[in-house]
Amino acid sequence: MNRQNNETRRTVLRRTAGRAAVAVLLAACMLASGCAKEFEEVTGGAGGGKRIEVSFDVPQMDEVRVETRMAAENILFVENLWVIQLNEAGTALLQPSIYISKVLDNRVNLTLTDQRSMIIFIANTFDETLFSGATTAAQVAKSFSTYDEFIAAPDYLSYRFKGMPDELKGNQIKMVRSCARIDVKVECRPSSNEVIALRSVRFCNVPKTVHFYRDPDKLDPGTTASATYPATTSGFIGEWKRINVEGNWYEGTYYMPENGRGKGTATRQEDKTAAKALGGASGQGNYATYIEITAAVTLADGTAFKDVKYRCYLGGDAVSDYTLKRNTRYTVTCTLRGVNKLDARVTVGTPTYPGDYYDYTDNRTGRFLIAKSDATNGTAVNWN
């Protein structure tokens, strides 16, 4: 009898749960259909307001290929939006700034003050207070001091418009990512009977400030120090991110502020250093972003180097460009093959020899030789 009652209860529970599931499913469908065709109405404007509808387009990133192939960028939507309307000079607000928490179908309706102005659109901050205190264009920037502060919102999009709000009607606004994307891959390919073991990968000399918009006339710093950006007074983080690595390869993706330090004078990869950057040893190389890789290297004869450092300056090519631009994806492959004292990007460190070895250096060529026995002064040496 008890068994039968229990079975009846289970049947009722199953049927009841089934009805509940159908009810939840129907409710979810109704909710989805109710939201699909609506988007947020936003009004504002201090007198003489004009209602406009604008839509947004988020194109693929520009691509810079340093060594390897590109891949598709998937962040193509405006999810939330700030609209900041200032006078044309960007020195005062024309109306309170607007934050739209949910943008559907990449479009919104806005009511804006009907006069010539500077309008800044900033998307995907996920922060409804970020620009509530900004009253000038110069204040529309985000400062940070560590990597952990920055990673919360790497996908900022922005667009700056100057003119009458009416001119935006029917136009598709091309939103631009405010940051550069770095895809880095480190590979160890030592010679036969040698070993390279990675120890760390560091990102250094990264600007402390993300500028959400920038004057389009200042896109390329070229070879003029006055055109470099951001200003050195904005500050730079010496070690922005450090990753400890065990093994012979590493891959990672990072977003970081753009950093335009211009063109250097190197003519080959081995000479792309701070000293060869725009302005020489005391110039823009002090502020150029670079990756520093530390590895332990053991040569075929047993000689060990515990702290070999390889420095790779980022930019539009592997030789002379030191600029990271916003809305651009940089794919960088660093291949470590051994210890080369002739490569200016390499800091060799102090070797540990296996037993009583002697280190001879040819001062004319920079080549060096390790031998088991001391040589008599004047002895001929084969520098193979």
Side-chain angles (χ1 to χ4, degrees):
M1 186 68 175
N2 289 338
R3 210 177 298 125
Q4 186 175 8
N5 287 339
N6 288 339
E7 185 63 34
T8 302
R9 286 193 203 97
R10 281 196 291 271
T11 303
V12 171
L13 286 172
R14 280 197 295 270
R15 287 174 180 167
T16 303
R19 291 192 201 100
V22 171
V24 171
L25 181 60
L26 286 173
C29 291
M30 292 171 64
L31 182 61
S33 62
C35 293
K37 294 182 180 179
E38 297 179 3
F39 53 91
E40 188 165 345
E41 299 282 344
V42 180
T43 59
K50 194 143 189 177
R51 188 172 182 274
I52 63 171
E53 178 182 315
V54 297
S55 62
F56 303 94
D57 179 36
V58 184
Q60 297 284 344
M61 274 189 168
D62 296 333
E63 177 69 19
V64 171
R65 304 185 194 186
V66 176
E67 273 192 54
T68 190
R69 65 183 182 278
M70 68 179 289
E73 175 60 50
N74 296 318
I75 305 159
L76 300 174
F77 298 100
V78 171
E79 297 191 50
N80 51 74
L81 183 70
W82 276 94
V83 183
I84 304 167
Q85 187 180 18
L86 306 123
N87 61 13
E88 195 170 16
T91 56
L93 282 173
L94 292 183
Q95 66 173 42
S97 297
I98 300 167
Y99 178 71
I100 304 171
S101 61
K102 183 63 178 176
V103 176
L104 298 177
D105 298 326
N106 272 3
R107 62 179 186 181
V108 294
N109 272 333
L110 301 169
T111 300
L112 300 172
T113 301
D114 191 22
Q115 68 181 70
R116 291 192 66 84
S117 54
M118 176 189 294
I119 305 172
I120 303 173
F121 299 90
I122 302 171
N124 298 349
T125 66
F126 298 91
D127 188 340
E128 62 184 10
T129 64
L130 188 60
F131 300 110
S132 56
T135 59
T136 68
Q139 293 172 351
V140 182
K142 173 69 173 172
S143 297
F144 62 98
S145 58
T146 66
Y147 172 76
D148 290 334
E149 287 181 58
F150 179 70
I151 59 174
D155 306 323
Y156 296 139
L157 305 168
S158 63
Y159 177 79
R160 189 200 69 173
F161 167 81
K162 275 188 175 183
M164 294 294 294
D166 255 357
E167 297 172 38
L168 290 171
K169 269 189 177 179
N171 290 338
Q172 200 170 43
I173 292 175
K174 299 289 185 183
M175 300 294 280
V176 175
R177 293 166 185 83
S178 300
C179 303
R181 171 173 168 165
I182 314 298
D183 291 339
V184 60
K185 181 178 181 180
V186 181
E187 296 181 281
C188 297
R189 294 185 184 175
S191 302
S192 179
N193 298 321
E194 295 185 357
V195 177
I196 303 176
L198 296 177
R199 292 292 178 258
S200 67
V201 177
R202 300 167 64 228
F203 292 85
C204 302
N205 275 7
V206 175
K208 285 186 175 180
T209 303
V210 176
H211 292 275
F212 289 97
Y213 77 94
R214 186 164 37 77
D215 188 337
D217 296 333
K218 297 180 180 178
L219 287 177
D220 189 355
T223 56
T224 306
S226 60
T228 56
Y229 54 82
T232 58
T233 54
S234 70
F236 290 78
I237 301 174
E239 182 181 285
W240 185 67
K241 177 66 174 175
R242 180 190 184 98
I243 308 101
N244 294 323
V245 184
E246 293 291 337
N248 58 9
W249 66 275
Y250 172 78
E251 288 188 66
T253 295
Y254 299 91
Y255 290 83
M256 61 183 64
E258 63 179 344
N259 190 13
R261 307 329 307 181
K263 293 276 189 179
T265 58
T267 56
R268 59 179 195 146
Q269 293 188 27
E270 292 83 356
D271 291 331
K272 190 178 184 183
T273 64
K276 291 288 185 178
L278 175 61
S282 61
Q284 297 304 316
N286 295 339
Y287 312 102
T289 302
Y290 65 87
I291 300 172
E292 185 175 271
I293 303 156
T294 303
V297 180
T298 303
L299 304 182
D301 64 6
T303 304
F305 299 84
K306 289 199 301 185
D307 54 353
V308 181
K309 291 181 172 58
Y310 304 85
R311 184 172 291 190
C312 175
Y313 279 88
L314 301 179
D317 60 43
V319 179
S320 62
D321 187 88
Y322 292 78
T323 292
L324 293 178
K325 291 184 179 181
R326 63 178 58 206
N327 203 53
T328 304
R329 177 176 181 172
Y330 296 84
T331 304
V332 182
T333 300
C334 301
T335 304
L336 311 184
R337 298 189 180 277
V339 178
N340 182 2
K341 287 186 175 180
L342 299 181
D343 191 329
R345 301 167 300 176
V346 178
T347 302
V348 174
T350 304
T352 301
Y353 299 123
D356 296 328
Y357 275 69
Y358 297 87
D359 182 2
Y360 299 100
T361 303
D362 182 353
N363 292 328
R364 186 177 62 178
T365 66
R367 295 190 180 98
F368 64 97
L369 172 73
I370 299 171
K372 287 188 176 181
S373 59
D374 199 357
T376 304
N377 188 25
T379 302
V381 177
N382 180 3
W383 293 99
N384 259 345

